[in-house]
Amino acid sequence: MQGKHGHLSREQKQLALRLHAKGWRLVDIAKEIGCSAPMVGIMARTGRHVDAKPFGWEPRQGNLTIDEREQILLGINRGDTFTAIAEQLGRAVSTVSREVKRGGGRCDYSAWHAHERARHQARRPKPFKLASGRLPEEVASRLEQLWSPQEIAARLRLEHPDSPEMHVSHETIYQALYFQARGGLKREVQTALRTGRTRRKPQARGVRRPRFIDEMIMISDRPAAVEDRAVPGHWEGDLIIGKNSGSAIGTLVERSTRYVMLLHLPDTHDAVTVRDQLVAAMHRLPQHLRGSLTWDQGSEMAAHASFTMATDMPVYFCDPASPWQRGSNENTNGLLRQYFPKGTDLSVHGHAELEYVAQELNARPRKTLDWATPAERLRDLLQEA
């Protein structure tokens, strides 16, 4: 910690005098504590009686002290191994190696700068990263696009790898939103978060779906290449239902890229209508992206055999009440509810609006894709083909 008016603190003076007593050059001492060589010379001549009593910030018990960091610095300059330095300090070797790595490695390690960094990180309360500046503007913009906090945090790190000021954890974003909710901004939080919650809550269990009793190929018979997502072109599908079950939207997700397609079902979602919409959607794809379809046991798939005949795509059915067997599709349906809330009339959304929503979802980064977007992954597949 610097003294008043930018002067050296007592800790810095103590460190400078100890290094001088050990034979260090004035220029090396100056570099270590952040001052000029002549100033170190003045201290060496006039500061012999600086009080050795600890002064200023002291780390919590168990953390490295400035004296221990000084011993690490001296050991590095002697060429000692981390093991030897750790034995001298009575510390674990990993403690020493991590300390030096955080400080820039053997060539750049500075005891004083490391001590200052530890002091800064221990400050309470910590500065709030979303208080002002460009970062909160970026976060707010992406929340308006209905990105999740985890998607935002990960994508910012990808887009600004060398700008730590643009990095923020998803937990910080959540805490900021929940804090706003406690302050009376519940409506803003409900529009920003997919769940609409204003505080943390355990996830509810899935709703049990009716069984489909016609002859089916069960998911247990699905080939391993489909299961491990090794080959693109295998899709998961489902319906999201509107108010009073009077309207629906069909959802399709490609398992390897998470690419989304939406089916327009404004008037009815019976088996024949769903089949015709699925056939039309699949015929818009290249042949190598028409592998198979996995669906639950809903009655809308009663015409699955004629769908297979028209597309040459087998349909695999999930076990009853097992939505996790179509995990990618279930996750996508959750994202879609931000655009099409439960209990609303889905027939009011036309083809153009469904296409717009699909494009937005395909432009969102996904954790399972190492924060690439489904559109980017599908583009790569088409280019390879």
Side-chain angles (χ1 to χ4, degrees), residues 174 177-182 185-190 193 195-201:
Y174 273 118
L177 291 172
Y178 290 140
F179 177 80
Q180 286 183 331
R182 292 195 297 272
L185 299 179
K186 292 188 177 182
R187 179 174 299 176
E188 287 79 357
V189 176
Q190 288 173 341
L193 296 181
T195 61
R197 298 184 189 126
T198 58
R199 59 182 180 180
R200 296 196 182 280
K201 184 178 179 181

Side-chain angles (χ1 to χ4, degrees), residues 29 32 209 213 232 252-253 349 355 359 371:
I29 299 174
E32 168 63 24
R209 295 181 180 271
I213 60 174
L252 291 166
V253 184
H349 306 290
E355 182 63 24
Q359 289 179 1
W371 303 112

Side-chain angles (χ1 to χ4, degrees), residues 244-261:
N244 298 325
S245 300
S247 57
I249 295 174
T251 65
L252 291 166
V253 184
E254 202 282 314
R255 283 173 54 80
S256 65
T257 64
R258 274 58 171 191
Y259 190 83
V260 178
M261 294 195 302

Side-chain angles (χ1 to χ4, degrees), residues 306-325:
S306 55
F307 166 80
T308 299
M309 291 180 62
T311 61
D312 199 27
M313 294 175 62
V315 179
Y316 300 105
F317 287 92
C318 300
D319 297 320
S322 303
W324 60 86
Q325 294 178 344

Side-chain angles (χ1 to χ4, degrees), residues 162-292:
D162 301 320
S163 303
E165 69 277 6
M166 293 299 294
H167 298 175
V168 63
S169 71
H170 65 276
E171 183 62 30
T172 297
I173 300 175
Y174 273 118
Q175 291 298 334
L177 291 172
Y178 290 140
F179 177 80
Q180 286 183 331
R182 292 195 297 272
L185 299 179
K186 292 188 177 182
R187 179 174 299 176
E188 287 79 357
V189 176
Q190 288 173 341
T191 59
L193 296 181
R194 178 173 64 206
T195 61
R197 298 184 189 126
T198 58
R199 59 182 180 180
R200 296 196 182 280
K201 184 178 179 181
Q203 292 185 351
R205 294 186 177 273
V207 178
R208 199 171 183 86
R209 295 181 180 271
R211 289 182 62 88
F212 182 64
I213 60 174
D214 289 347
E215 185 177 356
M216 302 170 287
I217 306 175
M218 298 305 297
I219 195 171
S220 56
D221 297 320
R222 193 170 64 177
V226 181
E227 184 67 29
D228 62 13
R229 306 174 193 264
V231 179
H234 299 283
W235 298 78
E236 296 177 3
D238 194 17
L239 300 181
I240 58 174
I241 306 300
K243 183 178 181 180
N244 298 325
S245 300
S247 57
I249 295 174
T251 65
L252 291 166
V253 184
E254 202 282 314
R255 283 173 54 80
S256 65
T257 64
R258 274 58 171 191
Y259 190 83
V260 178
M261 294 195 302
L262 301 180
L263 308 180
H264 191 228
L265 302 167
D267 301 319
T268 180
H269 45 279
D270 59 59
V272 173
T273 304
V274 171
R275 178 203 61 194
D276 292 345
Q277 289 289 333
L278 284 172
V279 170
M282 291 304 163
H283 281 169
R284 292 196 295 269
L285 297 170
Q287 183 64 45
H288 70 283
L289 290 181
R290 301 205 299 259
S292 71

Side-chain angles (χ1 to χ4, degrees), residues 115-128:
H115 191 65
E116 279 289 272
R117 184 178 62 253
R119 181 187 66 82
H120 178 76
Q121 292 176 345
R123 284 172 52 189
R124 294 292 188 276
K126 290 183 178 295
F128 185 48

